[in-house]
Amino acid sequence: SEMCIRDSLSPRPRYTFGQFGLYNGIDFVAALIGMFAFAEMMKLAAQKQISQDDLDIAGSVREGAKTVFKYPVTTIKSGLIGMGIGMIPGSGATTSTFVAYAEEARSSATDGSFGDGDPRGVIAPEGANNPTVSGSLIPTLSFGIPGSGSTAVLLGGILMHGLQPGPVLFGEQLHITYALFISLFLSNILIVVVGLTVIPYASKITEIDTNLIIPMVIVLSFAGAYTLNQNWWDVGAVVVLGLLGFYMVRYNYSVIAFVLGIVLGPIAEQNFFRSLQISGGEYTIFVDPVNQPLSFLLTVAILVVLFGPFVKGRVERAVSRT
């Protein structure tokens, strides 16, 4: 959960500028607080009021449910993204929600209005959030490899009670596995109940004067950043990244892409060097269709995602000219 500034696979410090407080990198949570909470408070402080128009909180549970069913493709796609990312050890709900949002913003670029109340901007991350938990249970129960921080704690509890992750959990101890699945299902029902009973009252916070909200949020942001590691550098990161986030939003740069880089950067780097260690430094491990077909297909998929929009745009322009 850190923006890895130290070399991920060696003890060599990197970009620490001789400061001991930077040896463990900038905490990912501090980066999130800065890019979202602090930056949003700066944006709010520049406005005279939260909304340009007087708004009344309206709507109903029924309308909300109908809106979700209006976008089945978004819901199903985000759920599959959440489950797929959850299956990857080391990644979690944070990664899946940002990836699902970014993918929906990309695929809905022509008819979407993200940032202006498009319901798909809410459906996508929430549709990916819960399936990530289910996905992270797959490597945890099947191989004993925790898919996330929470499943690492769960794995410790499983081992402490004498249970053995792997084939045994799906054989002799299958009743334990089903108990876990059912409890996960029931917890989702509980989340709905709590949401329906608590959220209407929690929304009253929007009626508080912004002159009170802004200093409260900033103070809590600093306090939260410091208590992460008792490190003042994390507080400084909140300020610096908050300023960066504020100007990125102002000049239409993607904050989501930046946060995804923070989340996925260390994971990508560590596994990149692990792959090179396995191949003895040969980069062909990523593009060998014979010995490494999965790696080859993933590399092709990455290239398609990166260059597909450019090729599509050129083809559309060529067709329109003809």
Side-chain angles (χ1 to χ4, degrees):
S1 63
E2 293 176 347
M3 191 161 49
C4 191
I5 293 184
R6 186 186 56 225
D7 194 328
S8 59
L9 292 178
S10 78
R12 185 176 61 221
R14 183 174 57 182
Y15 300 120
T16 58
F17 308 105
Q19 300 296 323
F20 186 74
L22 288 174
Y23 268 51
N24 283 329
I26 296 170
D27 196 286
F28 165 65
V29 177
L32 273 188
I33 291 172
M35 296 295 290
F36 290 98
F38 192 84
E40 189 62 30
M41 290 305 102
M42 289 181 62
K43 178 183 172 184
L44 198 58
Q47 300 174 194
K48 292 183 178 178
Q49 56 187 40
I50 295 177
S51 175
Q52 299 302 319
D53 304 307
D54 291 331
L55 299 174
D56 294 322
I57 297 175
S60 66
V61 175
R62 181 182 298 176
E63 289 300 316
K66 283 171 65 177
T67 303
V68 174
F69 285 106
K70 271 204 252 178
Y71 301 102
V73 174
T74 299
T75 306
I76 294 170
K77 180 172 66 174
S78 299
L80 293 174
I81 288 173
M83 179 166 283
I85 291 176
M87 291 166 58
I88 303 170
S91 60
T94 305
T95 306
S96 67
T97 50
F98 283 117
V99 170
Y101 181 90
E103 163 55 25
E104 191 57 32
R106 182 200 64 79
S107 62
S108 306
T110 54
D111 64 339
S113 54
F114 286 80
D116 297 312
D118 193 315
R120 286 171 292 186
V122 178
I123 295 170
E126 289 303 316
N129 188 14
N130 283 3
T132 304
V133 179
S134 307
S136 65
L137 288 173
I138 295 173
T140 305
L141 300 178
S142 302
F143 307 110
I145 302 171
S148 64
S150 56
T151 49
V153 177
L154 176 65
L155 180 62
I158 289 174
L159 296 173
M160 188 173 65
H161 286 282
L163 302 173
Q164 186 62 47
V168 177
L169 269 181
F170 294 90
E172 303 165 15
Q173 300 170 343
L174 187 60
H175 62 287
I176 300 292
T177 306
Y178 273 111
L180 184 61
F181 291 161
I182 293 169
S183 64
L184 191 64
F185 175 76
L186 293 176
S187 68
N188 281 283
I189 296 175
L190 181 63
I191 289 171
V192 173
V193 173
V194 172
L196 293 176
T197 54
V198 174
I199 296 301
Y201 297 100
S203 64
K204 298 292 183 183
I205 194 173
T206 57
E207 299 175 7
I208 300 175
D209 191 340
T210 54
N211 291 327
L212 295 174
I213 292 178
I214 293 170
M216 284 172 59
V217 171
I218 289 177
V219 169
L220 290 173
S221 298
F222 287 162
Y226 179 74
T227 54
L228 290 169
N229 303 297
Q230 287 74 51
N231 185 356
W232 284 105
W233 283 97
D234 289 332
V235 178
V238 168
V239 177
V240 173
L241 291 174
L243 289 168
L244 178 63
F246 174 74
Y247 284 104
M248 284 180 71
V249 171
R250 171 170 284 189
Y251 294 104
N252 296 320
Y253 288 94
S254 175
V255 176
I256 305 298
F258 186 91
V259 172
L260 272 177
I262 296 174
V263 176
L264 298 177
I267 299 172
E269 183 187 23
Q270 290 166 12
N271 288 287
F272 174 72
F273 283 111
R274 282 181 186 136
S275 300
L276 290 179
Q277 286 176 343
I278 292 170
S279 67
E282 293 293 331
Y283 290 88
T284 52
I285 190 173
F286 302 109
V287 291
D288 188 349
V290 178
N291 299 317
Q292 301 290 339
L294 182 59
S295 299
F296 175 74
L297 290 174
L298 287 173
T299 303
V300 171
I302 290 169
L303 293 174
V304 169
V305 170
L306 286 176
F307 297 105
F310 297 102
V311 175
K312 182 181 176 183
R314 285 178 176 273
V315 170
E316 288 177 348
R317 284 195 293 272
V319 170
S320 63
R321 282 197 295 268
T322 56

